[in-house]
Amino acid sequence: MYRSCSSLAALLLTLALAGCATLSVSDEQALEEDFQREVAREFRFLRDRVVVDYVDDIGRQIVRASGPQPFAFSFEVIDDNAINAFAGPAGHIYVNTGTILKARNVSELAGVIAHEVGHVARRHLAENYNKRRAAGIGHQAMVLGAGILAGGNAAGAADLLGGLGLTSMLNSFTREGEREADDFAIVVMPRAGYDPRGMPSFFETLIREGGPSVPEFLSSHPAPEDRLADTRAAIAREHLPANLRVDDGGRLEIIQRRIRLLTGVGSR
């Protein structure tokens, strides 16, 4: 699906052939420049400072609440009406304008961002690399190219790179990582002041509006209904403090109007 997968996977395969036993923090940081270059070739970014700063502010609140991290996070907005977000190596988080527009309140958007931060904080790229290497799989490039995206396109990337026979196993690991990222978000969001119930609320919207077509953000993830039930159950086990943020005084609505004006996207 993404041309970036091939170049990034080739780079990661080089690491594998060089004999790296694990993908270390420094290895992951070494991928940053190449990954960003490929993403810049593939996507059109929304460079409006007001919109980007809004997303960046939410993201940095989540990161601060996550405790010490080995990476310097960055948050970018992609000008794409599809509902999607993904994490790249070393703390680079990308959120589509379509995701921002679909959020009904700031807690829903914060849930998406916290989930992607969770992929980085839990080192899912390194986990994917280490697991496949330990299993002796010869398609490291395919696996890592899919793992980098850490979002709705993992299965598509795997198919693109020729690992059709491994897609099922890759997706199984992806589902495990997605659940872990959801659990991370549920714990961290209240620390940042956001209501984690925005996560199942966002899933409800996607399921209701998606019909028979699963939104890109949920493809290759756990079944949307399962993910909705799992997040609800996890939140029920938490002792949430009072006065967690669901709305932000109309700021999200202002940002959404600004995006529509800048991109020409019609009203929902």
Side-chain angles (χ1 to χ4, degrees), residues 9-147:
L11 180 61
L12 286 163
L13 182 56
T14 299
L15 286 174
L17 294 175
C20 298
T22 63
L23 190 66
S24 68
V25 169
S26 59
D27 290 335
E28 194 167 333
Q29 289 170 330
L31 299 174
E32 287 183 84
E33 186 176 343
D34 294 271
F35 184 85
Q36 289 179 289
R37 186 183 302 114
E38 293 299 332
V39 171
R41 288 172 183 165
E42 182 66 31
F43 299 104
R44 181 174 66 244
F45 287 92
L46 187 69
R47 300 294 187 184
D48 182 71
R49 200 67 255 167
V50 174
V51 175
V52 175
D53 284 350
Y54 177 79
V55 172
D56 184 82
D57 181 58
I58 296 172
R60 296 200 178 281
Q61 290 178 59
I62 297 294
V63 172
R64 284 194 296 270
S66 303
Q69 299 294 324
F71 303 118
F73 280 74
S74 70
F75 299 88
E76 304 269 10
V77 177
I78 293 174
D79 183 3
D80 190 324
N81 202 40
I83 300 169
N84 197 24
F86 60 94
H92 294 281
I93 308 294
Y94 304 87
V95 181
N96 281 15
T97 52
T99 302
I100 301 171
L101 292 174
K102 187 58 62 178
R104 293 180 297 177
N105 54 60
V106 72
S107 72
E108 292 190 350
L109 180 57
V112 172
I113 295 172
H115 173 92
E116 300 306 331
V117 171
H119 279 305
V120 177
R122 292 291 181 256
R123 301 295 317 283
H124 285 156
L125 174 60
E127 273 189 18
N128 223 8
Y129 176 88
N130 298 339
K131 183 173 181 179
R132 301 311 168 193
R133 185 175 178 83
I137 294 173
H139 295 286
Q140 289 99 330
M142 179 279 294
V143 173
L144 290 167

Side-chain angles (χ1 to χ4, degrees), residues 61-62 65 105-108 110 185-198 235 238-249:
Q61 290 178 59
I62 297 294
N105 54 60
V106 72
S107 72
E108 292 190 350
I186 288 167
V187 171
V188 169
M189 286 178 69
R191 297 177 188 169
Y194 292 104
D195 193 329
R197 285 168 289 211
I235 290 169
E238 295 291 316
H239 299 286
L240 299 179
N243 302 318
L244 292 173
R245 277 175 286 175
V246 174
D247 298 300
D248 59 356

